[in-house]
Amino acid sequence: MKDRTLLVDGDIVAYKAATVAETPIDWGEGCWTLHAFEQDVIQNMTVFMNEIIEQSGCNKVITCLSGDKLYRKEVAPYYKANRKGTRKPMLLNFAKKYLGEKFNGKVEDRLEADDLLGILGSADKNTVIWSIDKDLLTIPAYHLLDGKVTEVDEAEADYWFLYQTLVGDSTDNYKGCPAVGAKTADKLLQENGATWQTVVDAFADKGLGEEVAIENARLARILRDGEYNFETKKVKLWKR
C-alpha cells in the first residue's frame, strides 16, 4: 500500500471533544457546577480520529495544532480580538496535548492549524486534508469532505480565496468588503471574473483602497507550500 497521510485539524477535534465532555449539574438551591472527565474526551477523540482515518484510506496521520504567537496578529492587531474573555472548554489543553502525543501532533508557534494543513496538503499529493472549516477549500489539495476524498484544484482554490477575501470572517474578526455577503461575492466573481481586480473594484465601490483589500486577503490567506520557511520561521505574506 502506498503511503498516504491524513492531515487533521486538531484544533477542531480537541475543541469539540472537550466541549461535549462537559456536564452541568444542578445541586439545588441555585448551585450549579460543571465537570468533565478526561476519559470521555479521550474516547470521543479516539473514535472520531479512527473514523476519519478509515474514511480517508490513509495509513498515516499528522494532527495539526495552532501555535501561540500567531503572525496574523502582526498583520492586523484586531484579528481574533473578539474572542478575548470567551471561556474555553475546561479540558481543551488536555485534549490538544493528548492528540499531539497519540496522533502525531505538529505545531509551529506562529501558525494556525489551518496554515499547517495548507502548507503540507499543497506540498504533497499523497496527503488528504480533514477540516470542517470552509477556509481550507482555498487550498489546492485532496480533502475529506462528507466522508469522501475530493480534489480541489488550483483554480477552484483561488476562487475560494478571492471569495473569502470579499466576505471576511466574523469568527476571526476581519470584515472583508462592506455589505458583500456570500451571494454578492459569488455574483461579482462569476460576472466580473475570479480575479484580484474584481476584488479591488468591489472595495473601491465602497470607498476603500487596495491596501484594505490586501490586508483582508492576508488575513484570509491560508498558507500554501512555499509561503512559510520552517527554518527561519518567516511567513511570505500574500502579494497580488
Side-chain angles (χ1 to χ4, degrees):
M1 179 180 179
K2 188 175 183 179
D3 285 342
R4 200 177 198 191
T5 303
L6 179 64
L7 305 172
V8 177
D9 188 334
D11 286 359
I12 291 176
V13 176
Y15 195 95
K16 283 183 172 291
T19 299
V20 170
E22 293 188 343
T23 303
I25 296 180
D26 179 2
W27 295 95
E29 298 183 358
C31 178
W32 288 76
T33 60
L34 192 67
H35 74 270
F37 290 103
E38 292 179 354
Q39 190 56 45
D40 289 342
V41 176
I42 291 172
Q43 182 177 359
N44 290 339
M45 293 192 299
T46 301
V47 169
F48 181 76
M49 291 292 289
N50 287 338
E51 179 183 351
I52 59 175
I53 290 170
E54 181 178 357
Q55 288 174 348
S56 70
C58 294
N59 59 347
K60 294 183 178 180
V61 62
I62 295 175
T63 300
C64 299
L65 297 159
S66 292
D68 295 322
K69 300 176 183 178
L70 304 182
Y71 81 88
R72 286 184 182 82
K73 292 184 178 181
E74 299 168 11
V75 174
Y78 57 80
Y79 181 72
K80 289 190 175 179
N82 55 332
R83 300 189 185 187
K84 290 181 180 178
T86 302
R87 187 185 75 83
K88 297 178 181 178
M90 290 183 289
L91 294 184
L92 179 59
N93 288 336
F94 167 81
K96 289 183 175 182
K97 185 173 184 293
Y98 183 88
L99 274 179
E101 292 174 351
K102 299 298 182 180
F103 292 95
N104 195 22
K106 186 172 180 61
V107 180
E108 284 288 313
D109 195 43
R110 300 186 69 216
L111 304 186
E112 297 178 61
D114 289 356
D115 296 308
L116 280 173
L117 293 169
I119 293 166
L120 299 175
S122 59
D124 186 355
K125 287 297 184 181
N126 290 317
T127 59
V128 178
I129 295 172
W130 177 88
S131 178
I132 60 172
D133 190 339
K134 65 183 185 303
D135 294 357
L136 266 299
L137 294 177
T138 65
I139 297 300
Y142 289 102
H143 296 256
L144 184 63
L145 303 172
D146 299 323
K148 296 181 180 180
V149 176
T150 303
E151 184 176 14
V152 174
D153 63 26
E154 190 167 6
E156 184 178 359
D158 289 345
Y159 181 94
W160 287 116
F161 165 60
L162 297 173
Y163 169 93
Q164 198 63 46
T165 301
L166 286 169
V167 301
D169 191 330
S170 59
T171 302
D172 288 338
N173 203 41
Y174 68 94
K175 308 303 181 183
C177 186
V180 174
K183 291 183 178 179
T184 302
D186 264 329
K187 183 178 180 181
L188 288 171
L189 294 172
Q190 292 286 350
E191 294 183 355
N192 301 331
T195 66
W196 178 246
Q197 190 59 51
T198 297
V199 173
V200 172
D201 290 344
F203 277 84
D205 285 344
K206 304 299 179 181
L208 300 173
E210 185 174 9
E211 70 279 2
V212 180
I214 290 174
E215 183 170 284
N216 277 273
R218 288 176 172 174
L219 296 176
R221 182 73 170 184
I222 305 300
L223 299 182
R224 302 182 187 181
D225 182 37
E227 296 178 1
Y228 178 74
N229 188 313
F230 284 94
E231 293 183 0
T232 64
K233 310 300 181 183
K234 290 185 177 180
V235 175
K236 183 179 179 181
L237 293 177
W238 182 86
K239 294 182 180 179
R240 67 183 183 88

